[in-house]
């Protein structure tokens, strides 16, 4: 059996690396360039709101205690540390409140993987080598990361990884981070292959983290840090696994494809399929609710019922039962039985909890997950009446159904093909509105407007470290 440098001299790993090296802004359609800027803005909104949440603060204090001062900003703090811990903490902030982007078919949270690694790399380059990273190259590097991570995910059947208990974004994510930083550093294809090989051997993430651990917030941060580490090592000539995706013995796809139950176990060709033709960025969704993406269709179903039947649902005490029909990945990810008391993490992952919250509060945003809101009797009364059911026929890739039966026998039901964030998806203007709503009162208006202007005009920015510095400094706690 051929392996290592003896195999696949022009296989998918090298094809991907050559594309990352050679892609230019001229190759990127205008709508992709524009959308990428709004996605960046959404990621920074999530970082700002997430940077001073209690679990992020706990992580920050622990990291500050163990790390020496460095050159890279920690967003929301007057602290600078080294590039690897900065990427870890800033990613943890973006993932801090389940408000960040996700890929619709190959689930990962791209901004939490890519932006912290790129800003850390850019700031470190500026401080150590007086090298400025301009906005145009930064944007192109972001796009390279957006395109890489999901392709790795497609090769492992995307959402199927969640059904097996892997935190899919933490598995696919090191590739996205390594690709983006490699592009920013202008690494040649051979070094990009080393970076990916180093990043992929660090991939992993257990979905049991979702039931209550703070570690759920940090798992994309591990991936962001590890991809950055791979690129920085590769730049110095440190070698990584060659042909890491297609290597049959101990390769990335071979190992993470174990137990998939699919035939074939993995889809090698997806790693480099249609590069520069089919843009994965178009499949990046933007959230409207502060909860796990698999709960969003359920929330939207409930919201539709509230709009249709305001009188019938005005007295929640009249609800006899609630049934949530869900696809397999959503059911395994968010359909678990929830116990009282619950942590904020567990509540945000739970279809039962978010359904009850939508019924009670009419929204599922940051305020619904304050510690004093997690133990409300009315919420738990509704949870105890709720059942989550796996229904493969519920409709569409993202479809769900909610059925509410009242004590008088009235049946209220709503089926949707997918959440509002998928069908039709948020426009750029709606993302801008989300940015402004989330940051209102969290940072001062002048600072917010400057960040917004720099991001939406990032191609003209001479040095992205200016933007990084704006993200540092005091930020209010949104759920204090």
């Amino acid at each position: 059996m051929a392996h290592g440098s003896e195999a696949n001299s022009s296989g998918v790993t090298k094809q991907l690396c050559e594309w990352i090296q050679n892609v230019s802004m001229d190759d990127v359609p205008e709508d992709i360039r524009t959308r990428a800027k709004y996605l960046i803005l959404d990621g920074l909104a999530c970082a700002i709101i997430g940077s001073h949440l209690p679990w992020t603060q706990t992580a920050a204090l622990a990291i500050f205690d163990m790390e020496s001062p460095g050159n890279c900003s920690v967003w929301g703090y007057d602290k600078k540390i080294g590039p690897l811990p900065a990427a870890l903490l800033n990613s943890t902030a973006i993932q801090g409140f389940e408000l960040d982007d996700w890929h619709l078919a190959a689930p990962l949270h791209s901004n939490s993987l890519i932006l912290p690694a790129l800003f850390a790399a850019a700031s470190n380059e500026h401080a150590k080598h007086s090298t400025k990273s301009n906005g145009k190259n930064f944007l192109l590097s972001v796009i390279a990361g957006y395109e890489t991570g999901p392709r790795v995910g497609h090769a492992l059947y995307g959402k199927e990884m969640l059904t097996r208990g892997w935190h899919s974004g933490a598995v696919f994510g090191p590739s996205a981070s390594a690709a983006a930083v490699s592009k920013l550093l202008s690494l040649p294809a051979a070094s990009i292959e080393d970076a990916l090989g180093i990043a992929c051997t660090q991939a992993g993430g257990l979905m049991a983290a979702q039931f209550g651990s703070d570690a759920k917030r940090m798992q994309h941060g591990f991936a962001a840090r590890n991809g950055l580490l791979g690129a920085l090592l590769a730049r110095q000539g440190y070698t990584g696994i060659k042909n890491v995706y297609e290597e049959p013995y101990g390769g990335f796809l071979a190992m993470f494809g174990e137990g998939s139950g699919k035939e074939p176990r993995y889809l090698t060709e997806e790693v480099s399929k249609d590069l520069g033709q089919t843009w994965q960025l178009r499949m990046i969704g933007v959230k409207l609710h502060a909860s796990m993406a698999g709960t969003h269709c359920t929330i939207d179903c409930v919201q539709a019922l509230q709009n249709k039947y305001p009188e019938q649902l005005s007295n929640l005490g009249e609800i006899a039962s609630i049934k949530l029909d869900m696809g397999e990945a959503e059911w395994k990810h968010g359909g678990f039985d929830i116990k009282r008391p619950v942590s904020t993490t567990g509540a945000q992952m739970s279809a039962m909890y978010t359904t009850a919250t939508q019924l009670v509060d009419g929204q599922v945003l940051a305020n619904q997950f304050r510690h004093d809101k997690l133990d409300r009797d009315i919420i738990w009364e509704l949870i105890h009446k709720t059942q989550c059911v796996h229904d493969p026929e519920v409709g569409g890739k993202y479809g769900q159904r909610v059925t509410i039966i009242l004590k008088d026998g009235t049946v209220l039901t709503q089926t949707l093909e997918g959440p509002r964030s998928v069908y039709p998806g948020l426009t750029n203007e709606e993302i801008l509105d989300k940015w402004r709503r989330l940051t209102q009162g969290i940072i001062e208006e002048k600072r917010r407007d400057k960040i917004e202007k720099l991001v939406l005009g990032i191609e003209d920015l001479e040095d992205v470290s200016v933007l990084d510095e704006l993200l540092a400094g005091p930020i209010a706690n949104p759920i204090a």
Side-chain angles (χ1 to χ4, degrees):
M1 179 174 63
H3 62 86
S5 60
E6 300 171 8
N8 301 312
S9 59
S10 60
V12 298
T13 302
K14 287 183 171 58
Q15 291 171 28
L16 174 63
C17 294
E18 289 167 2
W19 180 82
I20 294 168
Q21 174 190 296
N22 295 322
V23 65
S24 71
M25 196 63 86
D26 291 338
D27 300 320
V28 182
E30 183 177 355
D31 70 298
I32 297 295
R33 298 197 300 268
T34 299
R35 184 66 167 185
K37 290 185 283 189
Y38 284 90
L39 290 174
I40 292 170
L41 194 65
D42 187 66
L44 298 184
C46 295
I48 288 168
I49 201 170
S51 64
H52 277 274
L53 294 170
W55 40 91
T56 316
Q57 288 181 325
T58 299
L61 290 174
I63 297 296
F64 294 156
D65 190 53
M66 69 178 77
E67 293 288 343
S68 300
N71 302 312
C72 302
S73 298
V74 178
W75 301 336
Y77 298 85
D78 287 317
K79 290 276 189 178
K80 287 194 174 186
I81 53 179
L84 300 180
L88 177 66
L89 281 178
N90 291 335
S91 174
T92 301
I94 294 177
Q95 259 275 280
F97 220 78
E98 296 298 323
L99 277 163
D100 54 331
D101 66 282
W102 89 106
H103 192 275
L104 307 184
L108 78 168
H109 304 285
S110 295
N111 280 325
S112 67
L113 298 161
I114 295 165
L115 299 183
L118 284 176
F119 275 113
S123 293
N124 200 55
E125 286 295 287
H126 192 189
K128 285 189 172 293
H129 306 290
S130 299
T131 301
K132 294 181 179 180
S133 298
N134 66 57
K136 183 177 179 180
N137 288 338
F138 185 93
L139 181 62
L140 185 60
S141 301
V142 171
I143 293 169
Y146 286 161
E147 295 303 308
T148 298
R151 284 182 163 80
V152 174
H154 286 309
L156 290 168
Y157 292 98
K159 290 197 292 184
E160 196 275 334
M161 292 295 286
L162 288 170
T163 70
R164 292 197 281 132
W166 285 111
H167 193 173
S168 55
V171 174
F172 313 153
S175 296
S177 173
V181 177
S182 294
K183 185 63 178 177
L184 188 76
L185 299 178
S186 300
L187 298 187
S191 296
I192 297 172
E193 183 174 12
D194 288 327
L196 292 171
I198 298 166
C200 283
T201 198
Q202 303 176 82
L206 303 175
M207 271 320 308
Q210 74 174 18
F211 298 125
S213 77
D214 289 339
K216 162 64 177 67
R217 317 285 185 178
M218 192 176 276
Q219 288 185 161
H220 275 64
F222 298 148
R225 176 196 63 190
N226 295 344
L228 171 61
L229 175 62
L232 294 177
L233 285 171
R235 185 177 63 167
Q236 296 297 329
Y238 198 82
T239 59
I241 300 168
K242 303 299 184 183
N243 303 307
V244 68
Y245 299 113
E246 64 267 41
E247 171 62 53
Y249 175 72
F252 181 86
L253 298 180
M255 298 316 298
F256 282 109
E258 288 285 346
S260 71
K262 302 285 188 179
E263 185 55 47
R265 289 185 296 119
Y266 50 88
L267 305 169
T268 309
E269 68 278 4
E270 293 290 335
V271 172
S272 59
K273 185 178 180 181
D274 296 332
L275 280 164
Q277 300 173 43
T278 299
W279 294 89
Q280 293 299 317
L281 179 149
R282 293 194 171 111
M283 290 287 285
I284 295 176
V286 174
K287 290 184 178 182
L288 285 169
H289 311 301
S291 60
M292 184 267 290
T295 68
H296 286 209
C297 192
T298 304
I299 295 167
D300 287 350
C301 285
V302 173
Q303 190 173 58
L305 290 173
Q306 290 173 309
N307 292 337
K308 286 182 182 179
Y309 307 106
E311 186 175 345
Q312 291 92 328
L313 292 175
S314 62
N315 184 355
L316 299 180
E318 291 302 306
I319 293 177
S321 67
I322 304 168
K323 182 184 176 188
L324 311 179
D325 292 304
M326 314 169 76
E328 184 179 21
E330 291 76 14
W331 177 63
K332 287 189 174 180
H333 196 6
F336 56 90
D337 289 332
I338 188 171
K339 305 297 182 184
R340 186 178 190 179
V342 67
S343 69
T344 301
T345 303
Q348 289 182 290
M349 299 295 112
S350 168
M352 290 181 178
Y353 186 92
T354 51
T355 293
T357 297
Q358 177 63 38
L359 283 167
V360 172
D361 296 335
Q363 62 181 14
V364 182
L365 295 173
N367 193 53
Q368 277 64 57
F369 299 97
R370 294 168 57 108
H371 290 301
D372 60 348
K373 296 287 185 73
L374 294 175
D375 202 41
R376 290 177 287 172
D377 288 339
I378 182 60
I379 294 289
W380 288 96
E381 288 168 10
L382 291 169
I383 288 171
H384 293 149
K385 297 176 182 180
T386 304
Q387 177 187 20
C388 294
V389 178
H390 172 214
D391 183 353
E393 305 300 323
V394 76
K397 290 182 179 179
Y398 318 103
Q400 294 183 31
R401 179 186 303 113
V402 172
T403 303
I404 298 176
I405 300 179
L406 305 182
K407 290 179 179 178
D408 65 5
T410 301
V411 178
L412 310 177
T413 187
Q414 177 70 52
T415 303
L416 293 175
E417 289 185 46
R420 163 75 177 79
S421 50
V422 176
Y423 300 119
L426 271 65
T427 65
N428 291 337
E429 290 72 23
E430 288 171 321
I431 294 174
L432 182 60
D433 178 67
K434 177 186 172 184
W435 151 262
R436 291 172 177 171
R437 284 187 293 106
L438 285 183
T439 55
Q440 181 68 38
I442 307 300
I443 58 174
E444 60 274 16
E445 189 171 334
K446 183 178 179 181
R447 182 178 171 195
R448 182 199 70 189
D449 292 347
K450 190 168 184 180
I451 294 170
E452 177 184 311
K453 182 178 180 180
L454 290 177
V455 171
L456 296 183
I458 198 166
E459 289 133 307
D460 299 322
L461 191 58
E462 292 184 3
D463 183 6
V464 294
S465 295
V466 174
L467 181 55
D468 192 35
E469 294 288 344
L470 277 171
L471 294 165
I475 287 174
N477 186 341
I479 60 170

